[in-house]
Amino acid sequence: QSALTQPASVSGSPGQSITISCTGTSSDVGSYNFVSWYQQHPGKAPRLMIYEGSKRPSGVSNRFSGSKSGNTASLTISGLQAEDEADYYCCSFAGSSTYYVFGTGTKVTVL
Amino acid sequence: EVQLVQSGAEVKKPGESLKISCQVSGYRFTSYWIGWVRQMPGKGLEWMGIIYPGDSDTRYSPSFQGQVTISADKSISTAYLQWSSLKASDTAMYYCARLKVGDDSGWFDPWGQGTLVTVSS
């Protein structure tokens, strides 16, 4: 099972919106409705940002939103802030033999 | 408050065995899957496997099947990840996380602080 494909890096200026894509296959993202997204600052543990495709856990800013179309899921960060600079990973269920697969990760830089 | 607290950093030699732990609090340990995730230096997250402490049902990523063993002790609300013979390529940060499962979905929340394993001769 290969990792889901994410762009290596995405950047934007403060206040702008950026979108991170997460491309899988019909065996993972395309077959199961819900992708989760994680934020990881350097030297820290990952933090859940989006679950079940578009739901935000308590405490996560509404500037973060998720969506999916076909085999590709997306995370959008609106009103980009300096604190959003981090690595972001998607994760999808991939069936009862592989179970879960993470994306390759995207480094978000705030210019 | 739900918390997952992992054991401390380890430095081992190739061929040695190791068992690291993840102690949970703040929820019923036997009611949720616990997962383990590897992050090699400067690399991304890799899902290793999950265990359901209620009945010790365990599932492994094909990439890690036979390479590690995941277990749990209900009496002390602790999950484990162990190696029988470490290799230099096992050097990584290892995270545990609670897995919440929905219809056709699952998400990891919260995460432990991570255990750094260094394997070097």
Side-chain angles (χ1 to χ4, degrees), chain A residues 22 29 33-37 50-54 68 73 90-92:
Chain A
C22 168
V29 176
N33 286 329
F34 305 120
V35 167
S36 54
W37 289 90
I50 294 287
Y51 68 100
E52 289 195 319
S54 59
K68 195 194 92 163
C90 59
C91 182
S92 173

Side-chain angles (χ1 to χ4, degrees), chain B residues 43-88:
Chain B
K43 302 298 184 183
L45 304 176
E46 300 173 89
W47 178 75
M48 301 177 72
I50 50 175
I51 186 166
Y52 190 75
D55 59 7
S56 292
D57 186 2
T58 309
R59 317 286 173 88
Y60 293 92
S61 161
S63 299
F64 291 94
Q65 178 82 48
Q67 308 304 308
V68 297
T69 301
I70 294 171
S71 60
D73 185 337
K74 291 187 285 190
S75 68
I76 54 173
S77 298
T78 300
Y80 300 97
L81 177 66
Q82 68 181 90
W83 296 259
S84 58
S85 181
L86 286 160
K87 301 185 283 287

Side-chain angles (χ1 to χ4, degrees), chain A residues 10-69:
Chain A
V10 174
S11 61
S13 300
Q16 285 187 330
S17 292
I18 61 169
T19 297
I20 302 168
S21 61
C22 168
T23 302
T25 69
S26 57
S27 297
D28 38 62
V29 176
S31 286
Y32 302 98
N33 286 329
F34 305 120
V35 167
S36 54
W37 289 90
Y38 304 87
Q39 176 192 64
Q40 187 180 34
H41 286 110
K44 300 294 187 183
R47 174 194 179 195
L48 177 70
M49 303 302 285
I50 294 287
Y51 68 100
E52 289 195 319
S54 59
K55 297 179 181 178
R56 286 184 304 276
S58 173
V60 172
S61 170
N62 59 10
R63 297 184 297 103
F64 291 84
S65 61
S67 62
K68 195 194 92 163
S69 178

Side-chain angles (χ1 to χ4, degrees), chain A residues 38 40 44-45 98-99 102, chain B residues 39 45 47 59 95 105 108 112:
Chain A
Y38 304 87
Q40 187 180 34
K44 300 294 187 183
T98 305
Y99 293 97
F102 282 97
Chain B
Q39 187 167 38
L45 304 176
W47 178 75
R59 317 286 173 88
Y95 294 100
S105 70
F108 295 94

